[in-house]
Amino acid sequence: MYPHERSLVERLKDEPFALIGVNSDVDVEKLKGALKQENISWRSFWDGPKGTYGPIATSWGVNSWPTIYVLDETGTIRYVSARGPQLDEAVDTLLAELRAKQSGGK
Amino acid sequence: MLSKLFLGWVSAAALGLGFDGAADVARIREELRKKQPDAAARADDALTGGWLETLWQTAAQAQDDDARFAALLLAMQVSEFGTTQVCKEGRGKARDELLARFADDPKRMGELLRVSSTAETREAMLARTAHKGVKALCLWSEAAGYLSTMRREKLGEEAQKRLDVLMGLLRGEYKDELDSRGRRFGDVVEGRLRAMNDLAVGKVAPDIEGKDLDGAPFKLSDYRGKIVVLDFWGHW
């Protein structure tokens, strides 16, 4: 999964785009080694010491990892569980929509 | 030592980790079954029968409950594979022995449900257990089946009714029982209902306020104006 996330972040670094994580690791200090090794540069909420049953994951009904939501610029949920090429397609569609809206508004 | 190895193997298999071999075996079996169904059935019987024989012996000679449970669970898993008589009998025997010994042990029954989430297993478990937590696990296992169907298609009227009943029980009478991750079923079900109602496509995502991995506070809504991929992840 990381290589795909990295390439997404890299490809869209100049676009109005953000990859935000919600991390369910129990030990955040241990995780920091992995961040460096895997070159994980995106920002994540840490869901606390309860790991996979942390408050954010529980209130979002997350039962399997990774779970992915794609939100548009208004914070509206537009895609749930998009993976692989579908995820790229989803993000590209929303970026195109956003560009069309912005140029239409001018 | 043996028991530890067994346990590790079973839980790895249950989690689907380090278990690539199973996918290959399944594929080869499937091919054989298409081309030579009789031969495939005989191979299943031979393979399963051999494994089961070893596992019954292991269970009988086990020195503690961990080893006995692991051997019987593995027997369950091995025989879940097939549709032949050997498999059916193996499955029945493993289930009976597991329930006879461990029906009131929620941790072990949770593992059994992960290996075998069939109605047959659930009903047998419900009939044997006196433990409320185990009953809750059975209810959740049934509900989870409907919830996963719902991702692909709309539920029929009967199924939807049954799911409503199950969710009602789990957020009511059984709300303080714990799921296999140690979460209260009340919280799990509320989260799921919220996910279905409030976290659907077209709804505005509820804000998240928290701290990043360095301890700095931030909010999901800080990123309004951007397209956001929200990724629930873990490094494991």
Side-chain angles (χ1 to χ4, degrees):
Chain A
M1 192 69 195
Y2 300 134
H4 185 225
E5 285 155 339
R6 271 200 306 267
S7 72
L8 195 65
V9 169
E10 177 59 26
R11 181 166 74 81
L12 300 173
K13 66 178 190 301
D14 298 324
E15 302 282 345
F17 168 79
L19 175 65
I20 302 292
V22 177
N23 175 273
S24 291
D25 279 276
V26 173
D27 187 339
V28 80
E29 287 311 315
K30 240 193 224 163
L31 176 68
K32 282 185 179 166
L35 293 184
K36 222 170 191 179
Q37 205 176 353
E38 301 282 353
N39 197 12
I40 295 170
S41 58
W42 52 91
R43 200 170 191 190
S44 287
F45 291 101
W46 182 50
D47 207 8
K50 285 184 168 178
T52 49
Y53 51 104
I56 306 175
T58 302
S59 79
W60 279 65
V62 174
N63 257 341
S64 64
W65 285 260
T67 286
I68 289 175
Y69 286 88
V70 185
L71 316 181
D72 68 16
E73 77 285 0
T74 67
T76 302
I77 297 167
R78 298 290 299 272
Y79 299 87
V80 180
S81 298
R83 292 268 183 105
Q86 288 171 334
L87 179 59
D88 281 89
E89 230 177 271
V91 172
D92 289 339
T93 305
L94 294 180
L95 282 169
E97 262 180 35
L98 179 58
R99 272 194 296 270
K101 251 186 250 174
Q102 283 170 345
S103 63
K106 269 176 201 167
Chain B
M1 190 57 213
L2 185 67
S3 69
K4 285 246 170 67
L5 274 178
F6 254 127
L7 268 185
W9 198 95
V10 170
S11 50
L15 290 166
L17 296 171
F19 199 54
D20 289 351
D24 290 333
V25 172
R27 203 194 62 243
I28 293 163
R29 258 184 86 245
E30 205 43 55
E31 255 168 54
L32 186 60
R33 205 198 293 217
K34 264 187 229 148
K35 287 180 186 146
Q36 280 182 283
D38 291 351
R42 278 200 305 277
D44 271 354
D45 273 350
L47 207 59
T48 316
W51 280 345
L52 287 175
E53 212 39 63
T54 310
L55 289 166
W56 303 141
Q57 281 174 21
T58 311
Q61 292 161 7
Q63 293 181 356
D64 58 27
D65 273 353
D66 282 349
R68 191 170 298 117
F69 175 75
L72 292 171
L73 189 65
L74 203 47
M76 188 81 206
Q77 196 161 29
V78 164
S79 50
E80 277 285 287
F81 248 118
T83 52
T84 64
Q85 196 57 29
V86 171
C87 289
K88 238 181 251 170
E89 283 170 15
R91 190 147 73 216
K93 179 172 171 181
R95 182 164 45 222
D96 287 349
E97 294 206 15
L98 283 165
L99 290 176
R101 289 178 183 277
F102 304 114
D104 293 335
D105 177 338
K107 188 162 175 289
R108 291 190 170 119
M109 288 300 98
E111 285 183 51
L112 173 55
L113 285 170
R114 264 209 294 279
V115 167
S116 168
S117 57
T118 58
E120 211 181 342
T121 297
R122 276 197 309 266
E123 279 156 23
M125 195 181 291
L126 279 171
R128 284 302 283 268
T129 192
H131 192 289
K132 200 173 174 189
V134 173
K135 288 180 188 164
L137 290 171
C138 291
L139 298 174
W140 176 246
S141 166
E142 189 182 352
Y146 290 124
L147 291 170
S148 100
T149 306
M150 269 175 85
R151 284 191 198 168
R152 299 187 305 269
E153 59 198 79
K154 201 169 156 16
L155 287 182
E157 202 179 321
E158 288 286 302
Q160 184 63 55
K161 256 193 223 154
R162 178 70 187 149
L163 177 61
D164 292 343
V165 169
L166 291 166
M167 297 296 252
L169 285 167
L170 285 164
R171 70 205 282 223
E173 197 184 333
Y174 291 90
K175 67 179 188 306
D176 293 323
E177 303 306 319
L178 301 179
D179 79 353
S180 57
R181 295 178 194 276
R183 305 180 294 194
R184 290 172 65 253
F185 273 115
D187 296 338
V188 172
V189 168
E190 295 300 336
R192 269 310 179 94
L193 291 174
R194 192 164 99 117
M196 285 190 300
N197 298 326
D198 301 348
L199 298 171
V201 168
K203 298 279 169 85
V204 174
D207 201 5
I208 301 175
E209 279 185 64
K211 286 182 177 171
D212 68 16
L213 300 174
D214 295 317
F218 76 116
K219 292 189 293 201
L220 180 60
S221 56
D222 295 343
Y223 293 85
R224 285 282 159 88
K226 291 185 177 185
I227 309 303
V228 171
V229 166
L230 185 66
D231 181 0
F232 289 82
W233 68 286
H235 186 73
W236 55 71

